Amino acid sequence: MAALPQPVTAAAADAPLWRAPLAWLRRQRLSRAFWIYFVAAFCFDAGFAVYFFLFNLYLLDLHFYEKTIGLIGGAMTLGSVAGTLPAGVAARRFGLRPLLVIAFVAAPAAGALRALWIWEPAQIALAFLAGVAMSGWTVSYLPAVSGMTTRENRPSAFSLVYAASIACSCLGAVICGDLPLWLHRAGIDWQPAAIKRDILLGSCAIAAAGLAAVLRLPRKPLMAIPADEADASIPGFRPAKIRLSPGLLRVLPVLMLWSVVLAAFTPFANVYLAHNLHLSLERVGLLFAVSQGLQLCAILVNPPLFGAVGMVNGIAVAELATALALGAMAMTPNLRLSVGLYLAFSAVQWMSAPGLYNLLMDRTPESERSTAAAITMFLTSLVSSGATVGAGFLFARAGYPRVLIGIAVLAAMVAVLCRILLGSERHYRP
């Protein structure tokens, strides 16, 4: 990699991201391999961000409601459970690169089939298969970024990947919301479901385009664990032989419970706006775009926040803010205030994720990171599946306010547990 140009002044070199973004990027010294992976992740995350934004609204147009949407979402998450641990074994034995190639082919193909085959049993089955296909990406993500970064620049790398996918999905949401109006003005009067179907297919194509970058990834950061080490760690895929580091055992409960918080409402957020608040697709798309922009800003605040209060304290603050926003949204009868609180909730709900994943990788030995990622994704997917299905039934039976208050209470409890289990780290430097 060519030598990086030196900043003009020491002040510019120390400037934060929002004042001097280029100087900040130079200071991170991210490798060429990371930037190739960044392009692949950008395509994959951007395509599926649009897909997941629109898919439940597409199901609403086809007369699927919360109970069925919860079953379909739960089936997809259960598919992730079924695929995650085998994907972790494959990553250790064959490396991450083959797993990424399979994910970038299979996941967009499964997504396209879900948009085309409209039959409830088929939707549940295809959602399960889509979850299996996505598991290769979820297992590869953490160890791939960790292998291409150092301890010093890893938090910034995670935040950049998150921020880029959010920025692209923000633009995609605006296009999704306004496209029916643009087509109408052009004299094309397609049915709403047909428009959504074609956008879903296009988003799958965007995700698949990342395969070109995956094929250019160097092999060294994505190599398999040596066979003798893998055999000593996971022979025959027997859970008793999988080593669980003390760091994993501390971070994992927080990640699992936070996954329950996110999976209980986030899959239903657009349904809540369209079905419960009676907002049009155009307004839902605009709100989603604004929420993505706020998420982008919130995630970029992570490095200075973690630097000021410590990573663990920063994670707990973000989780507590999420709980307050969600609880207030559930209790207010005012439409505009509900929308404002929804935007606040959207902004802070993902702030803790980069920090938690960074702690997970930092507290796990390098040779065990693929296994740790697989175990983490397996267990978080398992609890997320149950949370999505259960929330769908509860929303249909009890309505949104009571269920949202319960989720907010759980989020506050997770913030307290995070501080107790993970301790205090005040020496983080972004």
Side-chain angles (χ1 to χ4, degrees):
M1 183 176 177
L4 293 169
Q6 295 298 317
V8 176
T9 64
D14 294 333
L17 172 61
W18 58 85
R19 288 186 181 177
L22 292 179
W24 181 86
L25 282 175
R26 292 189 189 102
R27 193 166 70 247
Q28 306 313 307
R29 297 188 178 276
L30 295 165
S31 66
R32 179 176 178 272
F34 169 79
W35 288 115
I36 295 174
Y37 178 83
F38 178 86
V39 172
F42 181 86
C43 293
F44 196 87
D45 287 343
F48 278 107
V50 173
Y51 189 95
F52 292 130
F53 157 72
L54 200 59
F55 189 74
N56 284 345
L57 297 178
Y58 178 57
L59 293 179
L60 277 181
D61 284 349
L62 300 172
H63 308 293
F64 293 87
Y65 295 109
E66 281 86 352
K67 181 179 177 180
T68 305
I69 290 173
L71 287 172
I72 293 171
M76 182 173 180
T77 311
L78 193 61
S80 297
V81 173
T84 293
L85 287 180
V89 174
R92 290 178 64 84
R93 292 189 180 275
F94 306 112
L96 298 174
R97 195 168 181 269
L99 203 60
L100 286 169
V101 170
I102 293 171
F104 273 75
V105 172
L113 284 174
R114 294 180 71 197
L116 294 172
W117 195 355
I118 308 304
W119 180 44
E120 183 174 332
Q123 281 293 315
I124 294 173
L126 288 172
F128 179 85
L129 293 176
V132 173
M134 293 286 288
S135 64
W137 169 253
T138 56
V139 167
S140 302
Y141 169 65
L142 296 180
V145 174
S146 297
M148 299 175 191
T149 55
T150 65
R151 180 182 176 88
E152 289 73 24
N153 63 19
R154 191 171 299 135
S156 299
F158 279 123
S159 294
L160 282 170
V161 173
Y162 268 77
S165 65
I166 289 172
C168 193
S169 62
C170 176
L171 177 62
V174 173
I175 295 173
C176 290
D178 290 341
L179 187 59
L181 180 60
W182 296 342
L183 293 175
H184 178 72
R185 289 176 177 174
I188 303 174
D189 289 323
W190 288 353
Q191 294 295 319
I195 296 173
K196 292 183 180 70
R197 180 198 62 212
D198 290 344
I199 296 174
L200 290 170
L201 294 175
S203 68
C204 291
I206 292 171
L211 179 63
V214 169
L215 295 175
R216 293 175 59 87
L217 283 171
R219 295 181 181 275
K220 186 175 180 181
L222 307 176
M223 289 175 62
I225 302 297
D228 55 346
E229 184 179 343
D231 290 342
S233 171
I234 45 174
F237 186 56
R238 292 192 292 268
K241 296 293 184 179
I242 296 178
R243 294 176 295 206
L244 302 179
S245 66
L248 174 63
L249 293 176
R250 286 182 173 273
V251 178
L252 192 54
V254 179
L255 272 168
M256 289 174 63
L257 288 174
W258 194 246
S259 297
V260 171
V261 171
L262 297 181
F265 177 62
T266 303
F268 300 94
N270 290 337
V271 177
Y272 168 77
L273 295 173
H275 194 208
N276 197 66
L277 299 186
H278 309 292
L279 300 181
S280 65
L281 174 62
E282 182 180 359
R283 291 193 174 185
V284 172
L286 178 61
L287 284 175
F288 182 82
V290 173
S291 72
Q292 295 294 288
L294 291 174
Q295 286 181 25
L296 172 61
C297 296
I299 287 176
L300 293 178
V301 167
N302 270 355
L305 173 64
F306 293 161
V309 302
M311 185 170 290
V312 173
N313 290 336
I315 292 168
V317 167
E319 291 172 344
L320 186 58
T322 303
L324 293 173
L326 190 61
M329 183 182 74
M331 292 186 287
T332 180
N334 183 277
L335 175 61
R336 290 186 178 180
L337 186 56
S338 293
V339 169
L341 289 167
Y342 165 75
L343 292 175
F345 162 79
S346 299
V348 296
Q349 66 172 328
W350 297 110
M351 285 183 68
S352 60
L356 285 171
Y357 289 138
N358 184 75
L359 285 178
L360 176 66
M361 291 294 100
D362 278 352
R363 297 184 178 190
T364 302
E366 184 175 356
S367 63
E368 299 176 17
R369 284 175 179 166
S370 293
T371 302
I375 293 171
T376 299
M377 297 305 175
F378 173 81
L379 292 176
T380 56
S381 295
L382 185 64
V383 297
S384 296
S385 176
T388 301
V389 174
F393 279 92
L394 290 173
F395 286 137
R397 181 179 294 270
Y400 282 91
R402 293 180 181 178
V403 182
L404 292 181
I405 290 173
I407 299 171
V409 170
L410 176 60
M413 293 171 61
V414 175
V416 175
L417 183 66
C418 173
R419 187 62 181 78
I420 293 172
L421 284 182
L422 303 183
S424 177
E425 293 187 355
R426 296 186 175 275
H427 304 291
Y428 170 78
R429 179 177 175 81

